[in-house]
Amino acid sequence: RRASSTRALCLSFENWHIFKMGIDLEAGGRNKKTAREAPKSENVYLALLVKLYRFLVRRTESEFNKVVLKRLFMSKTNRPPLSVSKLASFLKGKEDKLAVVVGTVTDDVRMYEVPKMRICALRFTETARARITKAGGECLTFDQLALERPTGKDCLLLRGRKTSREACKHFGLAPGVPHSHSKPYVRAKGRKFEKARGKRKSRGYKA
């Protein structure tokens, strides 16, 4: 019995090159694509916009439509909001253009007068919409944009800063380390919270 098992083992070593590792086709096989090809959201209105812009990408040779479709697939952190004040600065000297934001347009209380602007966005906050329309501007949806400018002619495609969100302020070198500008996770900014050694000259040293 031992001899037969040894012979079988030798045969398996002789023919090891015949056996190859297979590919798990159910798990995707050799496909290493990670970019989204559809939105993860189950929002029916977003799905209709995707359907519309898939059609426009197919029927027009517009790069604008390709970028809009790609941005419709993105997650919320990759669709950062843009304020009315930023839009106004981007549109300075380009008043004839139509601003397009694949995301939310928000209000900015620091801006006293909102200029007349035509903006297309996925969503407008209530106050932003009210201030834009009061100034004689217009808030468009993407289906209205597709009818008016199917190729994106004279459109200014904009987006906000991805690193503006609160979470990004805590990234980087640890707080307190030399040359670090990271914001610490502290309950309060009072005397008792992270104000001892390394934070004051009277407590050892100040970094």
Side-chain angles (χ1 to χ4, degrees), residues 63-106:
E63 285 297 315
F64 172 85
N65 289 333
K66 285 179 187 173
V67 176
V68 168
L69 181 66
K70 188 183 175 184
R71 289 187 190 177
L72 286 171
F73 297 161
M74 287 181 179
S75 61
K76 200 174 180 182
T77 50
N78 290 320
R79 286 187 283 106
L82 200 60
S83 68
V84 168
S85 57
K86 275 282 181 192
L87 277 163
S89 65
F90 282 133
L91 287 168
K92 213 168 199 176
K94 298 172 187 173
E95 283 77 14
D96 57 323
K97 300 271 185 187
L98 195 153
V100 180
V101 183
V102 186
T104 307
V105 170
T106 57

mmCIF file of all heavy atoms in Angstrom, residues 63-106:
data_model
loop_
_atom_site.group_PDB
_atom_site.id
_atom_site.type_symbol
_atom_site.label_atom_id
_atom_site.label_comp_id
_atom_site.label_asym_id
_atom_site.label_seq_id
_atom_site.Cartn_x
_atom_site.Cartn_y
_atom_site.Cartn_z
ATOM 1 N N GLU A 63 -17.730 65.402 -26.177
ATOM 2 C CA GLU A 63 -16.963 65.023 -24.982
ATOM 3 C C GLU A 63 -17.691 65.494 -23.720
ATOM 4 O O GLU A 63 -17.578 64.880 -22.670
ATOM 5 C CB GLU A 63 -15.562 65.652 -25.021
ATOM 6 C CG GLU A 63 -14.602 64.973 -25.985
ATOM 7 C CD GLU A 63 -14.295 63.524 -25.642
ATOM 8 O OE1 GLU A 63 -14.035 63.234 -24.455
ATOM 9 O OE2 GLU A 63 -14.323 62.674 -26.546
ATOM 10 N N PHE A 64 -18.414 66.596 -23.844
ATOM 11 C CA PHE A 64 -19.183 67.165 -22.731
ATOM 12 C C PHE A 64 -20.156 66.129 -22.183
ATOM 13 O O PHE A 64 -20.225 65.902 -20.975
ATOM 14 C CB PHE A 64 -19.935 68.412 -23.224
ATOM 15 C CG PHE A 64 -20.918 68.975 -22.235
ATOM 16 C CD1 PHE A 64 -20.506 69.854 -21.246
ATOM 17 C CD2 PHE A 64 -22.262 68.632 -22.297
ATOM 18 C CE1 PHE A 64 -21.422 70.379 -20.332
ATOM 19 C CE2 PHE A 64 -23.178 69.140 -21.382
ATOM 20 C CZ PHE A 64 -22.757 70.017 -20.403
ATOM 21 N N ASN A 65 -20.900 65.475 -23.077
ATOM 22 C CA ASN A 65 -21.886 64.473 -22.656
ATOM 23 C C ASN A 65 -21.226 63.266 -21.993
ATOM 24 O O ASN A 65 -21.768 62.695 -21.044
ATOM 25 C CB ASN A 65 -22.721 64.014 -23.849
ATOM 26 C CG ASN A 65 -23.680 65.079 -24.321
ATOM 27 O OD1 ASN A 65 -24.104 65.938 -23.552
ATOM 28 N ND2 ASN A 65 -24.018 65.061 -25.595
ATOM 29 N N LYS A 66 -20.033 62.886 -22.478
ATOM 30 C CA LYS A 66 -19.295 61.762 -21.889
ATOM 31 C C LYS A 66 -18.902 62.066 -20.452
ATOM 32 O O LYS A 66 -19.019 61.212 -19.564
ATOM 33 C CB LYS A 66 -18.031 61.465 -22.709
ATOM 34 C CG LYS A 66 -18.293 60.758 -24.017
ATOM 35 C CD LYS A 66 -17.011 60.520 -24.794
ATOM 36 C CE LYS A 66 -17.292 59.975 -26.181
ATOM 37 N NZ LYS A 66 -16.070 59.887 -26.991
ATOM 38 N N VAL A 67 -18.453 63.304 -20.220
ATOM 39 C CA VAL A 67 -18.021 63.718 -18.872
ATOM 40 C C VAL A 67 -19.226 63.792 -17.936
ATOM 41 O O VAL A 67 -19.154 63.336 -16.796
ATOM 42 C CB VAL A 67 -17.272 65.071 -18.927
ATOM 43 C CG1 VAL A 67 -16.919 65.548 -17.525
ATOM 44 C CG2 VAL A 67 -16.005 64.948 -19.755
ATOM 45 N N VAL A 68 -20.339 64.330 -18.431
ATOM 46 C CA VAL A 68 -21.559 64.426 -17.614
ATOM 47 C C VAL A 68 -22.032 63.030 -17.213
ATOM 48 O O VAL A 68 -22.353 62.788 -16.048
ATOM 49 C CB VAL A 68 -22.678 65.203 -18.357
ATOM 50 C CG1 VAL A 68 -24.022 65.059 -17.648
ATOM 51 C CG2 VAL A 68 -22.320 66.683 -18.461
ATOM 52 N N LEU A 69 -22.037 62.103 -18.159
ATOM 53 C CA LEU A 69 -22.462 60.727 -17.873
ATOM 54 C C LEU A 69 -21.558 60.083 -16.824
ATOM 55 O O LEU A 69 -22.043 59.451 -15.883
ATOM 56 C CB LEU A 69 -22.456 59.899 -19.162
ATOM 57 C CG LEU A 69 -22.901 58.437 -19.025
ATOM 58 C CD1 LEU A 69 -24.364 58.342 -18.646
ATOM 59 C CD2 LEU A 69 -22.656 57.663 -20.307
ATOM 60 N N LYS A 70 -20.255 60.273 -16.961
ATOM 61 C CA LYS A 70 -19.293 59.713 -16.011
ATOM 62 C C LYS A 70 -19.531 60.268 -14.603
ATOM 63 O O LYS A 70 -19.471 59.546 -13.617
ATOM 64 C CB LYS A 70 -17.874 60.045 -16.481
ATOM 65 C CG LYS A 70 -16.786 59.346 -15.674
ATOM 66 C CD LYS A 70 -15.411 59.774 -16.139
ATOM 67 C CE LYS A 70 -14.336 59.183 -15.256
ATOM 68 N NZ LYS A 70 -12.997 59.650 -15.620
ATOM 69 N N ARG A 71 -19.820 61.570 -14.550
ATOM 70 C CA ARG A 71 -20.045 62.212 -13.244
ATOM 71 C C ARG A 71 -21.375 61.818 -12.620
ATOM 72 O O ARG A 71 -21.520 61.847 -11.400
ATOM 73 C CB ARG A 71 -19.942 63.733 -13.382
ATOM 74 C CG ARG A 71 -18.511 64.180 -13.614
ATOM 75 C CD ARG A 71 -18.371 65.683 -13.587
ATOM 76 N NE ARG A 71 -17.042 66.068 -14.037
ATOM 77 C CZ ARG A 71 -16.631 67.318 -14.169
ATOM 78 N NH1 ARG A 71 -17.450 68.314 -13.881
ATOM 79 N NH2 ARG A 71 -15.416 67.590 -14.577
ATOM 80 N N LEU A 72 -22.341 61.437 -13.441
ATOM 81 C CA LEU A 72 -23.635 60.967 -12.913
ATOM 82 C C LEU A 72 -23.475 59.644 -12.161
ATOM 83 O O LEU A 72 -24.258 59.320 -11.278
ATOM 84 C CB LEU A 72 -24.654 60.802 -14.036
ATOM 85 C CG LEU A 72 -25.255 62.078 -14.635
ATOM 86 C CD1 LEU A 72 -26.059 61.744 -15.876
ATOM 87 C CD2 LEU A 72 -26.126 62.821 -13.644
ATOM 88 N N PHE A 73 -22.441 58.866 -12.540
ATOM 89 C CA PHE A 73 -22.171 57.579 -11.882
ATOM 90 C C PHE A 73 -21.507 57.755 -10.516
ATOM 91 O O PHE A 73 -21.505 56.842 -9.698
ATOM 92 C CB PHE A 73 -21.223 56.710 -12.733
ATOM 93 C CG PHE A 73 -21.751 56.311 -14.084
ATOM 94 C CD1 PHE A 73 -20.877 55.890 -15.083
ATOM 95 C CD2 PHE A 73 -23.103 56.335 -14.364
ATOM 96 C CE1 PHE A 73 -21.347 55.502 -16.333
ATOM 97 C CE2 PHE A 73 -23.586 55.957 -15.612
ATOM 98 C CZ PHE A 73 -22.701 55.543 -16.592
ATOM 99 N N MET A 74 -20.898 58.906 -10.282
ATOM 100 C CA MET A 74 -20.011 59.085 -9.128
ATOM 101 C C MET A 74 -20.729 59.063 -7.778
ATOM 102 O O MET A 74 -21.928 59.342 -7.685
ATOM 103 C CB MET A 74 -19.237 60.398 -9.269
ATOM 104 C CG MET A 74 -18.161 60.344 -10.333
ATOM 105 S SD MET A 74 -17.275 61.890 -10.437
ATOM 106 C CE MET A 74 -16.091 61.498 -11.705
ATOM 107 N N SER A 75 -19.930 58.767 -6.746
ATOM 108 C CA SER A 75 -20.453 58.765 -5.381
ATOM 109 C C SER A 75 -20.628 60.199 -4.897
ATOM 110 O O SER A 75 -20.149 61.144 -5.521
ATOM 111 C CB SER A 75 -19.479 58.034 -4.462
ATOM 112 O OG SER A 75 -18.231 58.710 -4.456
ATOM 113 N N LYS A 76 -21.273 60.368 -3.761
ATOM 114 C CA LYS A 76 -21.581 61.714 -3.269
ATOM 115 C C LYS A 76 -20.312 62.509 -2.935
ATOM 116 O O LYS A 76 -20.248 63.715 -3.171
ATOM 117 C CB LYS A 76 -22.483 61.631 -2.034
ATOM 118 C CG LYS A 76 -23.216 62.928 -1.767
ATOM 119 C CD LYS A 76 -24.211 62.781 -0.642
ATOM 120 C CE LYS A 76 -24.926 64.096 -0.384
ATOM 121 N NZ LYS A 76 -25.857 63.999 0.737
ATOM 122 N N THR A 77 -19.283 61.845 -2.409
ATOM 123 C CA THR A 77 -18.035 62.552 -2.079
ATOM 124 C C THR A 77 -17.306 63.016 -3.331
ATOM 125 O O THR A 77 -16.530 63.964 -3.278
ATOM 126 C CB THR A 77 -17.077 61.668 -1.244
ATOM 127 O OG1 THR A 77 -16.922 60.411 -1.880
ATOM 128 C CG2 THR A 77 -17.571 61.486 0.159
ATOM 129 N N ASN A 78 -17.551 62.345 -4.448
ATOM 130 C CA ASN A 78 -16.945 62.751 -5.718
ATOM 131 C C ASN A 78 -17.825 63.722 -6.499
ATOM 132 O O ASN A 78 -17.488 64.087 -7.622
ATOM 133 C CB ASN A 78 -16.618 61.522 -6.573
ATOM 134 C CG ASN A 78 -15.475 60.732 -6.001
ATOM 135 O OD1 ASN A 78 -14.498 61.297 -5.523
ATOM 136 N ND2 ASN A 78 -15.585 59.417 -6.003
ATOM 137 N N ARG A 79 -18.966 64.103 -5.909
ATOM 138 C CA ARG A 79 -19.828 65.133 -6.499
ATOM 139 C C ARG A 79 -19.969 66.264 -5.480
ATOM 140 O O ARG A 79 -21.047 66.508 -4.947
ATOM 141 C CB ARG A 79 -21.200 64.555 -6.848
ATOM 142 C CG ARG A 79 -21.229 63.669 -8.055
ATOM 143 C CD ARG A 79 -22.639 63.263 -8.454
ATOM 144 N NE ARG A 79 -23.205 62.211 -7.607
ATOM 145 C CZ ARG A 79 -24.139 62.414 -6.689
ATOM 146 N NH1 ARG A 79 -24.618 63.620 -6.479
ATOM 147 N NH2 ARG A 79 -24.602 61.418 -5.962
ATOM 148 N N PRO A 80 -18.873 66.969 -5.172
ATOM 149 C CA PRO A 80 -18.929 67.985 -4.120
ATOM 150 C C PRO A 80 -19.811 69.172 -4.499
ATOM 151 O O PRO A 80 -19.965 69.476 -5.690
ATOM 152 C CB PRO A 80 -17.464 68.429 -3.960
ATOM 153 C CG PRO A 80 -16.819 68.075 -5.233
ATOM 154 C CD PRO A 80 -17.545 66.894 -5.795
ATOM 155 N N PRO A 81 -20.405 69.841 -3.500
ATOM 156 C CA PRO A 81 -21.269 70.988 -3.808
ATOM 157 C C PRO A 81 -20.476 72.213 -4.240
ATOM 158 O O PRO A 81 -19.273 72.300 -4.003
ATOM 159 C CB PRO A 81 -21.988 71.239 -2.474
ATOM 160 C CG PRO A 81 -21.066 70.711 -1.442
ATOM 161 C CD PRO A 81 -20.334 69.566 -2.070
ATOM 162 N N LEU A 82 -21.179 73.138 -4.867
ATOM 163 C CA LEU A 82 -20.559 74.382 -5.322
ATOM 164 C C LEU A 82 -21.467 75.528 -4.876
ATOM 165 O O LEU A 82 -22.682 75.477 -5.090
ATOM 166 C CB LEU A 82 -20.419 74.361 -6.844
ATOM 167 C CG LEU A 82 -19.412 75.306 -7.478
ATOM 168 C CD1 LEU A 82 -17.993 75.023 -6.978
ATOM 169 C CD2 LEU A 82 -19.431 75.180 -8.984
ATOM 170 N N SER A 83 -20.873 76.548 -4.249
ATOM 171 C CA SER A 83 -21.673 77.659 -3.732
ATOM 172 C C SER A 83 -21.961 78.686 -4.826
ATOM 173 O O SER A 83 -21.280 78.730 -5.859
ATOM 174 C CB SER A 83 -20.959 78.328 -2.562
ATOM 175 O OG SER A 83 -19.799 78.988 -3.016
ATOM 176 N N VAL A 84 -22.958 79.508 -4.554
ATOM 177 C CA VAL A 84 -23.365 80.575 -5.471
ATOM 178 C C VAL A 84 -22.214 81.556 -5.697
ATOM 179 O O VAL A 84 -22.005 82.022 -6.820
ATOM 180 C CB VAL A 84 -24.611 81.293 -4.888
ATOM 181 C CG1 VAL A 84 -24.914 82.583 -5.627
ATOM 182 C CG2 VAL A 84 -25.815 80.389 -4.949
ATOM 183 N N SER A 85 -21.440 81.848 -4.636
ATOM 184 C CA SER A 85 -20.323 82.797 -4.741
ATOM 185 C C SER A 85 -19.219 82.265 -5.663
ATOM 186 O O SER A 85 -18.652 83.015 -6.466
ATOM 187 C CB SER A 85 -19.751 83.115 -3.359
ATOM 188 O OG SER A 85 -19.349 81.937 -2.709
ATOM 189 N N LYS A 86 -18.929 80.969 -5.564
ATOM 190 C CA LYS A 86 -17.914 80.353 -6.430
ATOM 191 C C LYS A 86 -18.379 80.375 -7.891
ATOM 192 O O LYS A 86 -17.600 80.637 -8.800
ATOM 193 C CB LYS A 86 -17.653 78.905 -6.001
ATOM 194 C CG LYS A 86 -16.636 78.772 -4.889
ATOM 195 C CD LYS A 86 -15.234 78.917 -5.418
ATOM 196 C CE LYS A 86 -14.210 78.772 -4.314
ATOM 197 N NZ LYS A 86 -12.870 79.182 -4.757
ATOM 198 N N LEU A 87 -19.657 80.082 -8.092
ATOM 199 C CA LEU A 87 -20.218 80.093 -9.444
ATOM 200 C C LEU A 87 -20.111 81.490 -10.060
ATOM 201 O O LEU A 87 -19.751 81.630 -11.230
ATOM 202 C CB LEU A 87 -21.688 79.664 -9.406
ATOM 203 C CG LEU A 87 -21.954 78.162 -9.399
ATOM 204 C CD1 LEU A 87 -23.358 77.872 -8.945
ATOM 205 C CD2 LEU A 87 -21.734 77.574 -10.777
ATOM 206 N N ALA A 88 -20.400 82.509 -9.235
ATOM 207 C CA ALA A 88 -20.337 83.886 -9.712
ATOM 208 C C ALA A 88 -18.911 84.251 -10.131
ATOM 209 O O ALA A 88 -18.701 84.904 -11.152
ATOM 210 C CB ALA A 88 -20.824 84.835 -8.626
ATOM 211 N N SER A 89 -17.913 83.789 -9.354
ATOM 212 C CA SER A 89 -16.515 84.095 -9.692
ATOM 213 C C SER A 89 -16.067 83.353 -10.946
ATOM 214 O O SER A 89 -15.309 83.882 -11.761
ATOM 215 C CB SER A 89 -15.589 83.768 -8.514
ATOM 216 O OG SER A 89 -15.574 82.382 -8.248
ATOM 217 N N PHE A 90 -16.549 82.121 -11.136
ATOM 218 C CA PHE A 90 -16.210 81.347 -12.331
ATOM 219 C C PHE A 90 -16.839 81.950 -13.591
ATOM 220 O O PHE A 90 -16.278 81.872 -14.684
ATOM 221 C CB PHE A 90 -16.669 79.892 -12.203
ATOM 222 C CG PHE A 90 -15.781 79.024 -11.350
ATOM 223 C CD1 PHE A 90 -16.318 78.191 -10.375
ATOM 224 C CD2 PHE A 90 -14.404 79.031 -11.515
ATOM 225 C CE1 PHE A 90 -15.505 77.384 -9.586
ATOM 226 C CE2 PHE A 90 -13.585 78.224 -10.736
ATOM 227 C CZ PHE A 90 -14.134 77.405 -9.768
ATOM 228 N N LEU A 91 -18.040 82.550 -13.424
ATOM 229 C CA LEU A 91 -18.767 83.092 -14.570
ATOM 230 C C LEU A 91 -18.447 84.567 -14.857
ATOM 231 O O LEU A 91 -19.077 85.172 -15.716
ATOM 232 C CB LEU A 91 -20.278 82.933 -14.352
ATOM 233 C CG LEU A 91 -20.830 81.504 -14.484
ATOM 234 C CD1 LEU A 91 -22.242 81.431 -13.981
ATOM 235 C CD2 LEU A 91 -20.765 81.017 -15.925
ATOM 236 N N LYS A 92 -17.492 85.127 -14.130
ATOM 237 C CA LYS A 92 -17.128 86.530 -14.347
ATOM 238 C C LYS A 92 -16.516 86.678 -15.752
ATOM 239 O O LYS A 92 -15.539 86.018 -16.086
ATOM 240 C CB LYS A 92 -16.125 86.977 -13.282
ATOM 241 C CG LYS A 92 -16.261 88.419 -12.897
ATOM 242 C CD LYS A 92 -15.461 88.735 -11.651
ATOM 243 C CE LYS A 92 -15.944 90.020 -11.015
ATOM 244 N NZ LYS A 92 -15.251 90.302 -9.753
ATOM 245 N N GLY A 93 -17.121 87.520 -16.558
ATOM 246 C CA GLY A 93 -16.659 87.713 -17.932
ATOM 247 C C GLY A 93 -17.153 86.650 -18.889
ATOM 248 O O GLY A 93 -16.813 86.645 -20.073
ATOM 249 N N LYS A 94 -17.950 85.688 -18.368
ATOM 250 C CA LYS A 94 -18.502 84.614 -19.221
ATOM 251 C C LYS A 94 -20.015 84.534 -19.013
ATOM 252 O O LYS A 94 -20.576 83.442 -18.891
ATOM 253 C CB LYS A 94 -17.854 83.271 -18.853
ATOM 254 C CG LYS A 94 -16.352 83.239 -19.066
ATOM 255 C CD LYS A 94 -15.764 81.966 -18.497
ATOM 256 C CE LYS A 94 -14.241 82.007 -18.553
ATOM 257 N NZ LYS A 94 -13.639 80.860 -17.853
ATOM 258 N N GLU A 95 -20.646 85.695 -18.911
ATOM 259 C CA GLU A 95 -22.078 85.766 -18.588
ATOM 260 C C GLU A 95 -22.969 85.086 -19.632
ATOM 261 O O GLU A 95 -24.092 84.700 -19.327
ATOM 262 C CB GLU A 95 -22.514 87.237 -18.408
ATOM 263 C CG GLU A 95 -22.097 87.852 -17.084
ATOM 264 C CD GLU A 95 -20.628 88.252 -17.007
ATOM 265 O OE1 GLU A 95 -19.963 88.297 -18.071
ATOM 266 O OE2 GLU A 95 -20.138 88.496 -15.886
ATOM 267 N N ASP A 96 -22.464 84.950 -20.868
ATOM 268 C CA ASP A 96 -23.241 84.309 -21.937
ATOM 269 C C ASP A 96 -23.238 82.786 -21.817
ATOM 270 O O ASP A 96 -24.033 82.104 -22.454
ATOM 271 C CB ASP A 96 -22.692 84.722 -23.303
ATOM 272 C CG ASP A 96 -21.206 84.375 -23.462
ATOM 273 O OD1 ASP A 96 -20.473 84.500 -22.464
ATOM 274 O OD2 ASP A 96 -20.787 83.986 -24.575
ATOM 275 N N LYS A 97 -22.336 82.253 -20.991
ATOM 276 C CA LYS A 97 -22.221 80.794 -20.830
ATOM 277 C C LYS A 97 -23.275 80.268 -19.847
ATOM 278 O O LYS A 97 -23.769 81.002 -18.985
ATOM 279 C CB LYS A 97 -20.841 80.421 -20.287
ATOM 280 C CG LYS A 97 -19.682 80.843 -21.164
ATOM 281 C CD LYS A 97 -19.335 79.799 -22.187
ATOM 282 C CE LYS A 97 -18.093 80.183 -22.965
ATOM 283 N NZ LYS A 97 -17.834 79.268 -24.051
ATOM 284 N N LEU A 98 -23.559 78.986 -19.964
ATOM 285 C CA LEU A 98 -24.472 78.313 -19.044
ATOM 286 C C LEU A 98 -23.644 77.405 -18.137
ATOM 287 O O LEU A 98 -22.944 76.515 -18.630
ATOM 288 C CB LEU A 98 -25.495 77.508 -19.843
ATOM 289 C CG LEU A 98 -26.741 77.014 -19.120
ATOM 290 C CD1 LEU A 98 -27.895 76.842 -20.086
ATOM 291 C CD2 LEU A 98 -26.507 75.692 -18.398
ATOM 292 N N ALA A 99 -23.679 77.653 -16.841
ATOM 293 C CA ALA A 99 -22.886 76.858 -15.889
ATOM 294 C C ALA A 99 -23.561 75.514 -15.637
ATOM 295 O O ALA A 99 -24.779 75.454 -15.428
ATOM 296 C CB ALA A 99 -22.728 77.611 -14.577
ATOM 297 N N VAL A 100 -22.771 74.438 -15.668
ATOM 298 C CA VAL A 100 -23.294 73.083 -15.445
ATOM 299 C C VAL A 100 -22.553 72.440 -14.275
ATOM 300 O O VAL A 100 -21.321 72.371 -14.286
ATOM 301 C CB VAL A 100 -23.162 72.204 -16.714
ATOM 302 C CG1 VAL A 100 -23.703 70.812 -16.468
ATOM 303 C CG2 VAL A 100 -23.868 72.856 -17.894
ATOM 304 N N VAL A 101 -23.305 72.001 -13.275
ATOM 305 C CA VAL A 101 -22.721 71.371 -12.084
ATOM 306 C C VAL A 101 -23.402 70.022 -11.866
ATOM 307 O O VAL A 101 -24.615 69.972 -11.660
ATOM 308 C CB VAL A 101 -22.914 72.252 -10.820
ATOM 309 C CG1 VAL A 101 -22.249 71.613 -9.606
ATOM 310 C CG2 VAL A 101 -22.385 73.658 -11.042
ATOM 311 N N VAL A 102 -22.630 68.934 -11.939
ATOM 312 C CA VAL A 102 -23.196 67.605 -11.661
ATOM 313 C C VAL A 102 -23.070 67.394 -10.148
ATOM 314 O O VAL A 102 -22.185 66.724 -9.647
ATOM 315 C CB VAL A 102 -22.486 66.486 -12.458
ATOM 316 C CG1 VAL A 102 -23.204 65.149 -12.258
ATOM 317 C CG2 VAL A 102 -22.441 66.833 -13.937
ATOM 318 N N GLY A 103 -23.970 68.056 -9.432
ATOM 319 C CA GLY A 103 -23.945 68.043 -7.968
ATOM 320 C C GLY A 103 -24.936 69.067 -7.448
ATOM 321 O O GLY A 103 -25.881 69.445 -8.134
ATOM 322 N N THR A 104 -24.698 69.540 -6.222
ATOM 323 C CA THR A 104 -25.605 70.479 -5.568
ATOM 324 C C THR A 104 -25.066 71.899 -5.631
ATOM 325 O O THR A 104 -23.874 72.116 -5.450
ATOM 326 C CB THR A 104 -25.802 70.064 -4.087
ATOM 327 O OG1 THR A 104 -26.201 68.706 -4.043
ATOM 328 C CG2 THR A 104 -26.842 70.906 -3.393
ATOM 329 N N VAL A 105 -25.961 72.845 -5.840
ATOM 330 C CA VAL A 105 -25.606 74.275 -5.776
ATOM 331 C C VAL A 105 -26.156 74.797 -4.453
ATOM 332 O O VAL A 105 -27.347 74.658 -4.169
ATOM 333 C CB VAL A 105 -26.183 75.056 -6.982
ATOM 334 C CG1 VAL A 105 -26.026 76.553 -6.781
ATOM 335 C CG2 VAL A 105 -25.491 74.629 -8.259
ATOM 336 N N THR A 106 -25.247 75.383 -3.645
ATOM 337 C CA THR A 106 -25.632 75.855 -2.312
ATOM 338 C C THR A 106 -25.583 77.379 -2.223
ATOM 339 O O THR A 106 -24.937 78.036 -3.038
ATOM 340 C CB THR A 106 -24.705 75.261 -1.225
ATOM 341 O OG1 THR A 106 -23.355 75.627 -1.549
ATOM 342 C CG2 THR A 106 -24.818 73.763 -1.159
#
